[in-house]
């Protein structure tokens, strides 16, 4: 706000003298657009600070030019306000809160380029008038209009840099759930599905590729039906790829959780080099589609489904590359990422679990380093019922928080987990312990799960919002 006020004080007289009706209309459009867009960005946590900066930067413009006669014009204010409201409505309708920030950034560039050009024209005009005088009126002493215009250039550049840094299009409503094979993804998917349909007006989308011709088995309703018969969800084979999207809304705020389940391990291969190699191999197998298209759309479930329908024989040979490229792109584009940790490795901490967890957290830390900027992360320990007795513990109670804290403290003994904890000073990192079977105590005999009994799974849904 101080930068905007300083800019307006430095240029106020010259702007008022130089402005004409069409410039006033354009200026009114931008001011109304940025203020309405700033209000829209307040709805999303990760874009909220950028929205606050927009309001702090342009409310002084609104006040200053409103107090000047014939500056703000309705033929500019109304279209600007409607455009900003349109961005917000479009983001709600498409479940994409990043739309507001991304489009606002484009108009910010136009505004600042136009303002620099306008100030430059004023500066040239002042120089011309100075040259025409026999006795110079402005000696660059630091107290004249020429100096103020030059100072305003620097103020404008600082303001532009700040806004472009913090007004960012982060797709925070898109949450990607990632974990290695047998990390509890399927039961967590079913538990989150339970939460979404009951509390968030939820629905789902599925894309399933299976060479074993058991595609129907991997549909959510069939896995739930099998569960009620006492049959645990089967692990994916190396020739299987299943992708699920859970979509919901809390009040007016949308959210989207994406799961990718597959047979195999890709964590160590999630590097830029391996990603580009995968894209190259996929494009060679399906030459009808160029590398640029694959790179742009590989993270989209609908695109994968289209490949399955149009090129079923080709993708059978490149399924592992398709999975790797898809996961890499989802990690790159998602605003929030959930990393899963199998609680059974904590139970077997002294029988090889510590070694596994050390490697896993090291890989997660490397992924955070690679994709870190502008994202929120959550470490989620699954199968908490195997670690602690949660049979009589309400999932939103103080005892539940204490259990979660106790599990967290166990993991701080691992150096690579401690490194992730240190990263929390740079980007938000949350920690949760959850279970899909809250009715079984750790000291009970192993029994077949026939229903989903979520414990603290709601916290993951809240993390998404």
């Amino acid at each position: 706000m101080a930068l905007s006020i300083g800019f307006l004080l430095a240029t106020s007289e010259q702007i008022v003298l130089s402005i004409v009706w069409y410039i006033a209309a354009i200026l009114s459009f931008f001011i109304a657009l940025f203020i309405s867009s700033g209000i829209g960005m307040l709805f999303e946590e990760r874009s909220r600070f950028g929205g606050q900066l927009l309001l702090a930067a342009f409310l002084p413009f609104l006040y200053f030019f409103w107090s000047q006669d014939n500056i703000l014009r309705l033929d500019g204010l109304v279209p600007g306000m409607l455009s900003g409201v349109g961005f917000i409505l479009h983001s709600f309708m498409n479940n994409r809160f990043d739309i507001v920030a991304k489009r606002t950034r484009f108009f910010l560039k136009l505004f600042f380029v136009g303002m620099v050009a306008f100030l430059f024209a004023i500066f040239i005009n002042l120089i011309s008038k100075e040259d025409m005088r026999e006795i110079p009126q402005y000696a660059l002493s630091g107290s004249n209009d020429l100096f103020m215009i030059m100072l305003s250039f620097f103020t404008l550049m600082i303001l532009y840099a700040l806004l472009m840094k913090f007004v960012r299009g982060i797709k925070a409503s898109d949450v990607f759930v990632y974990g290695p094979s047998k990390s509890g993804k399927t039961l967590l998917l079913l538990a989150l599905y339970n939460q979404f349909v009951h509390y968030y007006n939820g629905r789902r989308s599925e894309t399933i590729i299976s060479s074993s011709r058991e595609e129907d088995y991997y549909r959510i309703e069939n896995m739930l039906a099998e569960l009620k018969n006492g049959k645990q969800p089967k692990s994916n084979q190396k020739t299987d790829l299943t992708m699920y999207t859970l979509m919901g809304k809390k009040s007016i705020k949308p959210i989207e959780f994406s799961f990718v389940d597959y047979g195999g391990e890709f964590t160590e291969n999630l590097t830029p080099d391996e990603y580009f190699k995968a894209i190259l191999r996929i494009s060679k197998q399906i030459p009808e589609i160029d590398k640029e298209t694959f790179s742009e759309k590989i993270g989209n479930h609908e695109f994968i489904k289209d490949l399955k329908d149009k090129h079923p024989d080709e993708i059978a040979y490149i399924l592992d590359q398709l999975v790797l490229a898809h996961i890499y792109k989802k990690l790159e584009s998602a605003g929030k990422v959930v990393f899963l940790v199998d609680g059974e490795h904590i139970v077997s901490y002294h029988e090889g679990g510590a070694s596994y967890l050390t490697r896993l957290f090291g890989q997660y830390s490397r992924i955070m380093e690679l994709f870190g900027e502008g994202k929120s992360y959550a470490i989620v320990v699954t199968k908490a019922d195997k670690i602690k007795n949660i049979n009589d513990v309400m999932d939103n109670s103080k005892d539940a928080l204490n259990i979660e804290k106790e599990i967290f403290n166990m993991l701080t003994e691992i150096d690579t987990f401690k490194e992730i904890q240190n990263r929390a000073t740079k980007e938000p990192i949350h920690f949760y312990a959850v279970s899909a079977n809250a009715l079984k105590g750790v000291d009970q005999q192993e029994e077949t799960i026939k229903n989903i009994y979520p414990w603290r799974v709601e916290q993951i849904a809240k993390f998404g919002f």
Side-chain angles (χ1 to χ4, degrees), residues 414-434:
I414 300 173
D415 291 342
T416 49
F417 182 79
K418 190 70 177 176
E419 179 188 0
I420 290 176
Q421 186 184 4
N422 294 338
R423 287 186 181 278
T425 59
K426 185 178 180 182
E427 58 251 345
I429 300 176
H430 305 259
F431 180 86
Y432 306 101
V434 303

Side-chain angles (χ1 to χ4, degrees), residues 266 269 273-287 289 291 294 314-315 317-322 324-325:
F266 294 92
N269 297 329
D273 285 344
E274 291 298 324
Y275 166 73
F276 289 120
K277 287 178 184 177
I279 291 294
L280 185 62
R281 289 166 185 157
I282 295 168
S283 63
K284 284 184 177 178
Q285 186 69 28
I286 309 176
I289 305 174
K291 296 192 295 294
F294 275 118
E314 290 90 335
I315 63 174
Y317 295 98
I318 52 168
L319 193 60
D320 57 338
Q321 302 301 309
L322 196 67
L324 190 152

Side-chain angles (χ1 to χ4, degrees), residues 123-154:
F123 182 76
I124 294 298
N125 186 49
L126 289 174
I127 291 291
S128 300
K129 289 181 178 178
E130 182 75 356
D131 289 341
M132 293 172 64
R133 291 189 176 96
E134 294 183 3
I135 302 175
Q137 181 177 337
Y138 301 135
L140 296 181
S141 61
S143 60
N144 55 64
D145 289 340
L146 281 172
F147 178 80
M148 288 299 181
I149 292 295
M150 287 189 289
L151 184 63
S152 68
F153 276 111
F154 292 103

Side-chain angles (χ1 to χ4, degrees), residues 159-176:
L159 185 61
Y160 173 75
L162 282 173
L163 289 172
M164 294 305 289
K165 178 177 175 62
F166 292 106
V167 177
R168 294 187 298 184
I170 300 168
K171 195 180 178 184
S173 60
D174 185 4
V175 184
F176 181 52

Side-chain angles (χ1 to χ4, degrees), residues 105-279:
R105 283 173 63 89
F106 172 76
F107 283 98
L108 277 172
K109 292 176 183 177
L110 290 181
F111 172 78
F112 281 99
V113 168
M115 187 59 74
V116 167
F118 183 51
L119 290 179
F120 185 72
I122 294 174
F123 182 76
I124 294 298
N125 186 49
L126 289 174
I127 291 291
S128 300
K129 289 181 178 178
E130 182 75 356
D131 289 341
M132 293 172 64
R133 291 189 176 96
E134 294 183 3
I135 302 175
Q137 181 177 337
Y138 301 135
L140 296 181
S141 61
S143 60
N144 55 64
D145 289 340
L146 281 172
F147 178 80
M148 288 299 181
I149 292 295
M150 287 189 289
L151 184 63
S152 68
F153 276 111
F154 292 103
T155 306
L156 201 63
M157 291 300 101
I158 295 171
L159 185 61
Y160 173 75
L162 282 173
L163 289 172
M164 294 305 289
K165 178 177 175 62
F166 292 106
V167 177
R168 294 187 298 184
I170 300 168
K171 195 180 178 184
S173 60
D174 185 4
V175 184
F176 181 52
V177 181
Y178 178 74
S181 183
K182 298 180 181 178
S183 58
K185 284 194 295 289
T186 304
L187 285 177
L188 180 61
L189 165 69
L190 298 179
L192 270 172
Y193 174 74
N194 173 282
Q195 295 291 306
F196 267 65
V197 296
H198 283 284
Y199 303 109
Y200 302 120
N201 193 30
R203 53 193 177 88
R204 48 74 191 269
S205 173
E206 301 164 319
T207 300
I208 301 167
I209 300 173
S210 175
S211 62
S212 59
R213 303 185 185 280
E214 293 187 5
E215 290 187 10
D216 284 345
Y217 172 83
Y218 293 113
R219 301 195 184 282
I220 286 179
E221 68 271 19
N222 292 332
M223 288 192 289
L224 286 171
E226 289 287 284
L227 202 62
K228 290 185 180 297
N229 292 326
K231 297 179 181 179
Q232 299 302 293
K234 294 189 298 185
S235 297
N236 284 38
Q237 304 299 312
K238 287 193 174 183
T239 54
D240 297 336
L241 168 63
T242 55
M243 294 175 287
Y244 307 91
T245 302
L246 302 179
M247 295 159 285
K249 189 170 288 190
K250 184 178 181 182
S251 184
I252 60 172
K253 189 174 182 181
I255 196 68
E256 185 176 291
F257 272 76
S258 298
F259 284 75
V260 179
D261 210 351
Y262 49 88
E265 181 60 76
F266 294 92
T267 310
E268 294 183 1
N269 297 329
L270 290 171
T271 65
D273 285 344
E274 291 298 324
Y275 166 73
F276 289 120
K277 287 178 184 177
I279 291 294

Side-chain angles (χ1 to χ4, degrees), residues 370-422:
L370 182 61
F371 300 104
E373 186 177 354
K375 299 182 187 294
S376 291
Y377 295 99
I379 302 292
V380 174
V381 175
T382 61
K383 307 175 188 176
D385 56 280
K386 296 181 181 293
I387 306 170
K388 306 293 291 185
N389 192 333
I390 61 173
N391 195 12
D392 298 316
V393 181
M394 296 295 293
D395 63 356
N396 58 353
S397 67
K398 185 176 180 180
D399 288 339
L401 288 172
N402 289 335
I403 289 173
E404 196 170 75
K405 185 176 181 181
E406 189 175 340
I407 295 172
F408 177 87
N409 290 335
M410 291 178 189
L411 295 175
T412 55
E413 298 178 8
I414 300 173
D415 291 342
T416 49
F417 182 79
K418 190 70 177 176
E419 179 188 0
I420 290 176
Q421 186 184 4
N422 294 338

